[in-house]
Amino acid sequence: MQSQYGIDEQGAIDDAWPGFFHRAHRLLRGNGLLLLATRQRRDADRLTDPLGLLVAGARTAGFRYLQHIVVVHGHPIGDRLVPAPPDDAPPGLMHSDLLVLRAQGSRS
């Protein structure tokens, strides 16, 4: 079976994040880096963090998780950090993450 992205993408899932990671891996062969910014969201009045699912999806597509950088939404006042989330942020958002992923080898 050949996917819509060409013969090298056989078996790739074509929807949402899994499809994105498979297509990005195809484009970033040769140990290319992928930086992915993400943050928590509010679903059914619960704050959820997609970090684990994104890392798992990236690994399945052939990426290696290298590191993540935490971006704190706050500013210092004296010896404390005071929350300062973006205007469009869900209630309770305290940080965002920048994931650093490396494409591993060839996927054919």
Side-chain angles (χ1 to χ4, degrees):
M1 171 194 305
Q2 180 177 347
S3 83
Q4 67 184 16
Y5 305 106
I7 195 71
D8 291 337
E9 282 295 310
Q10 289 181 345
I13 301 169
D14 290 334
D15 62 331
W17 285 112
F20 167 79
F21 286 125
H22 281 279
R23 291 186 302 276
H25 190 273
R26 179 178 56 90
L27 295 172
L28 292 173
R29 287 186 183 174
N31 294 321
L33 291 178
L34 176 66
L35 303 177
L36 181 67
T38 183
R39 68 181 190 193
Q40 303 139 335
R41 66 176 189 259
R42 187 164 294 278
D43 291 323
D45 208 32
R46 292 185 63 202
L47 199 60
T48 59
D49 191 338
L51 187 64
L53 290 174
L54 291 174
V55 170
R59 284 181 173 160
T60 298
F63 283 94
R64 179 174 173 214
Y65 169 84
L66 296 179
Q67 181 176 19
H68 82 270
I69 300 164
V70 176
V71 179
V72 176
H73 301 298
H75 60 273
I77 294 183
D79 62 351
R80 297 176 354 141
L81 281 177
V82 176
D87 291 336
D88 65 341
L93 178 73
M94 294 301 298
H95 76 280
S96 296
D97 298 286
L98 180 63
L99 302 177
V100 181
L101 306 164
R102 180 178 300 276
Q104 296 295 292
S106 172
R107 294 187 55 86
S108 50

